[in-house]
Amino acid sequence: MKRALQSGIVGFFLCLLIFPLQTIQAVRGVPGSPDFGYGAWIHPQSALNIEGTQMVGELPLDWVAIPLDWAEAMPQISSSPELGALDAVFDALTGRGVVVMLRLYNPPGWAKTETGLNADITAQWLFWLYQRYQPTLRAVELLPAANTRQGWGNTPDPYQYANFFMEVKTALNSRGSDLLLIAGGLQPLNPASDSEDWDDLDFLQALYDYGAKTWMPVLSIQMPVLSGDPVRPASGEDPFALRHYELVRQTMLNNDHAEGILWVTLINPPDGTIDVADQKYAQSVQQAEWLKQALIQMRSQLYMGVVFLSSLNPPPAGKPFGNQTALLTGRQTYHPFYSALQAVIQQTNPSATSNRPGRPKSIPIPKCQNKK
């Protein structure tokens, strides 16, 4: 059964190997770049997705994060991937001077093993996506929230995740891919956490015990549930302060990983879940001020690579994005944070509007990929 499964995957992706890879210029916020990267989300399966892409150059952003529910896109190994909405968003982003990080989550059952996700199948799937969406696709956040059962898809295990990450990375490198893998997507435990979930700092330390310094150039963290003012100090007993990222960084330094880069890939302003006093942030004006302060504070940290603060379009209901702020609330209706974000980017990166990297008008797709 396992051999037949792998043969089917190989056959599905084999034709891609004959097409040459393309390399594009370096982008902000990655290893080797001294520049901070500004990012936001787009949800292809939700309303105003194409309208959201039109905001990219206006802000202007460096990165767009796009979630990809693998099981939803390809529930059966024998079925062609359903990527129409994703294709449309990538096409709309072409030429807008932005690059994309895919958030790969919820793998289908046929890609799993008894302990986690099959690394070889995952690498083939990622390489297929890389070929399909190059040169815009530059990074993949690999199974974010890996310290939780929901994120990993099984009882979380840092040793299994470390091996999985290294095997996928090695397989992609062997194919000549320069796709940047973003590790972890670690989340502080919230009141609804599963009893099997790991504390994010403990999980991170275990990754370092398994040699993460050598294979994890970029660590991502997510903070979907927060409380209090952005400047509130963090502590081990309080994982809901924005500055919890400082404890993550300290763990990196404790393991002699000063050269490692930290990305914050998901952040939501407080909504009253932890403290009723946070209900004041239900007002959009207060949300905008909170997000602006948070951005300025995180940008000042030299170890921060890219921060994704909000979504361009409204996130779909029932997906793992929490109370994510949408900049585009209706057709030509904007959240107050839109203008605040635009002002911060233009003040801190004034060359962004005049020095946008070019993108080809179209991305050639091999016929065997059957892009719809």
Coordinates of all heavy atoms in Angstrom, one line a residue, residues 40-53 55 64-65 67 89 310-316 324-330:
A40 N 1.1 41.0 4.9 CA -0.3 40.9 5.3 C -0.8 39.6 4.6 O -0.2 39.0 3.7 CB -1.1 42.1 4.8
W41 N -2.0 39.2 5.0 CA -2.6 38.0 4.5 C -3.6 38.3 3.4 O -4.2 39.4 3.3 CB -3.4 37.3 5.7 CG -2.5 36.7 6.7 CD1 -1.8 37.3 7.7 CD2 -2.2 35.3 6.8 NE1 -1.1 36.4 8.4 CE2 -1.3 35.1 7.9 CE3 -2.6 34.2 6.1 CZ2 -0.8 33.9 8.2 CZ3 -2.1 32.9 6.4 CH2 -1.2 32.8 7.5
I42 N -3.8 37.3 2.6 CA -4.9 37.2 1.6 C -5.5 35.8 1.7 O -4.8 34.8 1.8 CB -4.5 37.5 0.2 CG1 -4.2 39.0 0.0 CG2 -5.6 37.1 -0.8 CD1 -3.8 39.4 -1.4
H43 N -6.9 35.8 1.8 CA -7.6 34.5 1.9 C -8.3 34.3 0.6 O -9.3 34.9 0.3 CB -8.6 34.5 3.1 CG -7.9 34.7 4.4 ND1 -7.4 33.6 5.1 CD2 -7.6 35.8 5.2 CE1 -6.9 34.0 6.3 NE2 -7.0 35.4 6.3
P44 N -7.7 33.4 -0.2 CA -8.3 33.1 -1.6 C -9.7 32.7 -1.6 O -10.5 33.0 -2.5 CB -7.4 32.1 -2.2 CG -6.1 32.2 -1.5 CD -6.5 32.6 -0.1
Q45 N -10.1 31.9 -0.5 CA -11.5 31.3 -0.5 C -12.5 32.3 0.1 O -13.7 31.8 0.3 CB -11.4 30.0 0.3 CG -10.4 29.0 -0.2 CD -10.8 28.4 -1.5 OE1 -11.9 28.6 -2.0 NE2 -9.9 27.7 -2.2
S46 N -12.1 33.5 0.4 CA -13.1 34.4 1.0 C -13.4 35.6 0.1 O -12.8 35.8 -1.0 CB -12.5 34.9 2.3 OG -13.4 35.6 3.1
A47 N -14.3 36.4 0.6 CA -14.8 37.6 -0.2 C -13.7 38.6 -0.4 O -12.7 38.7 0.4 CB -16.0 38.2 0.6
L48 N -13.8 39.4 -1.4 CA -12.9 40.5 -1.7 C -11.4 40.1 -1.9 O -10.5 40.8 -1.6 CB -13.0 41.6 -0.6 CG -14.4 42.1 -0.4 CD1 -14.4 43.1 0.8 CD2 -15.0 42.8 -1.6
N49 N -11.2 38.8 -2.3 CA -9.8 38.4 -2.5 C -9.1 39.1 -3.6 O -7.9 39.5 -3.4 CB -9.8 36.8 -2.7 CG -10.6 36.4 -3.9 OD1 -11.3 37.2 -4.5 ND2 -10.5 35.1 -4.2
I50 N -9.7 39.3 -4.7 CA -9.0 40.0 -5.8 C -8.9 41.4 -5.5 O -7.8 42.1 -5.8 CB -9.7 39.7 -7.1 CG1 -9.8 38.2 -7.4 CG2 -9.0 40.5 -8.3 CD1 -8.5 37.5 -7.5
E51 N -9.9 42.0 -4.9 CA -9.8 43.4 -4.5 C -8.7 43.6 -3.5 O -8.0 44.6 -3.5 CB -11.1 43.9 -3.9 CG -12.3 44.0 -4.8 CD -13.0 42.7 -5.1 OE1 -12.5 41.6 -4.6 OE2 -14.1 42.7 -5.7
G52 N -8.4 42.6 -2.6 CA -7.4 42.7 -1.7 C -6.0 42.8 -2.3 O -5.1 43.5 -1.9
T53 N -5.8 42.0 -3.4 CA -4.5 42.0 -4.1 C -4.2 43.4 -4.7 O -3.0 43.8 -4.8 CB -4.5 41.0 -5.3 OG1 -5.5 41.4 -6.3 CG2 -4.8 39.6 -4.8
M55 N -4.6 46.2 -3.3 CA -4.1 47.0 -2.2 C -2.6 46.8 -2.0 O -1.9 47.7 -1.3 CB -4.8 46.7 -0.9 CG -6.3 46.9 -1.0 SD -7.1 46.1 0.4 CE -6.5 47.1 1.8
V64 N 3.1 38.7 1.0 CA 1.7 38.3 1.2 C 1.7 36.9 1.7 O 2.4 36.0 1.1 CB 0.9 38.5 -0.1 CG1 -0.5 37.8 0.1 CG2 0.6 40.0 -0.4
A65 N 1.0 36.6 2.8 CA 0.8 35.3 3.3 C -0.5 34.7 2.8 O -1.6 35.4 2.9 CB 0.9 35.2 4.8
P67 N -3.0 31.2 3.0 CA -3.2 29.9 3.6 C -3.6 28.9 2.6 O -4.3 29.2 1.6 CB -4.3 30.1 4.6 CG -5.1 31.3 4.0 CD -4.1 32.2 3.3
V89 N -5.6 34.4 -7.3 CA -4.9 35.4 -6.4 C -3.5 35.5 -6.9 O -2.9 36.6 -6.9 CB -5.0 34.9 -4.9 CG1 -4.0 35.7 -4.1 CG2 -6.4 35.1 -4.4
S310 N -2.1 41.8 9.6 CA -3.5 41.8 9.4 C -3.8 41.1 8.1 O -2.9 40.6 7.4 CB -4.1 43.2 9.3 OG -3.3 43.9 8.3
S311 N -5.1 41.0 7.7 CA -5.5 40.4 6.4 C -6.0 41.5 5.5 O -6.5 42.5 6.0 CB -6.6 39.4 6.6 OG -7.0 38.8 5.4
L312 N -5.7 41.4 4.2 CA -6.2 42.3 3.3 C -7.7 42.2 3.1 O -8.4 43.2 2.9 CB -5.5 42.2 2.0 CG -4.0 42.5 2.0 CD1 -3.3 42.1 0.7 CD2 -3.7 43.9 2.4
N313 N -8.2 41.0 3.1 CA -9.6 40.7 2.9 C -10.1 40.0 4.1 O -9.4 39.4 4.9 CB -9.9 40.0 1.6 CG -9.4 38.6 1.6 OD1 -8.3 38.3 2.1 ND2 -10.1 37.6 1.1
P314 N -11.4 39.9 4.3 CA -12.0 39.2 5.5 C -11.6 37.7 5.5 O -11.8 37.1 4.4 CB -13.5 39.4 5.4 CG -13.6 40.7 4.6 CD -12.5 40.6 3.6
P315 N -11.2 37.2 6.6 CA -10.9 35.7 6.7 C -12.2 34.9 6.7 O -13.2 35.4 7.1 CB -10.1 35.6 8.0 CG -10.6 36.7 8.8 CD -10.9 37.8 7.9
P316 N -12.1 33.7 6.1 CA -13.3 32.9 6.1 C -13.7 32.4 7.5 O -12.8 32.2 8.4 CB -13.0 31.7 5.2 CG -11.5 31.6 5.3 CD -11.0 33.0 5.5
Q324 N -8.9 37.8 13.2 CA -8.0 38.5 12.3 C -8.6 39.8 11.8 O -9.7 39.8 11.3 CB -7.5 37.6 11.2 CG -6.3 38.1 10.5 CD -5.8 37.0 9.5 OE1 -6.6 36.4 8.8 NE2 -4.5 36.9 9.4
T325 N -7.9 40.9 11.9 CA -8.3 42.2 11.4 C -8.2 42.2 9.9 O -7.2 41.9 9.3 CB -7.5 43.3 12.0 OG1 -7.6 43.2 13.4 CG2 -8.0 44.7 11.5
A326 N -9.3 42.6 9.2 CA -9.3 42.8 7.7 C -9.2 44.3 7.4 O -9.9 45.1 7.9 CB -10.6 42.2 7.1
L327 N -8.3 44.6 6.5 CA -8.1 46.0 6.1 C -9.2 46.4 5.1 O -9.6 47.6 5.1 CB -6.7 46.2 5.4 CG -5.5 45.9 6.3 CD1 -4.2 46.2 5.5 CD2 -5.6 46.7 7.6
L328 N -9.6 45.5 4.3 CA -10.7 45.8 3.4 C -12.0 45.2 3.9 O -12.2 44.0 3.9 CB -10.4 45.2 2.0 CG -11.3 45.6 0.8 CD1 -11.3 47.1 0.6 CD2 -10.9 44.9 -0.4
T329 N -12.9 46.0 4.5 CA -14.1 45.6 5.1 C -15.3 45.5 4.2 O -16.3 44.9 4.6 CB -14.4 46.4 6.4 OG1 -14.5 47.8 5.9 CG2 -13.3 46.4 7.4
G330 N -15.2 46.1 3.1 CA -16.2 46.1 2.1 C -15.7 46.7 0.8 O -14.5 47.2 0.8

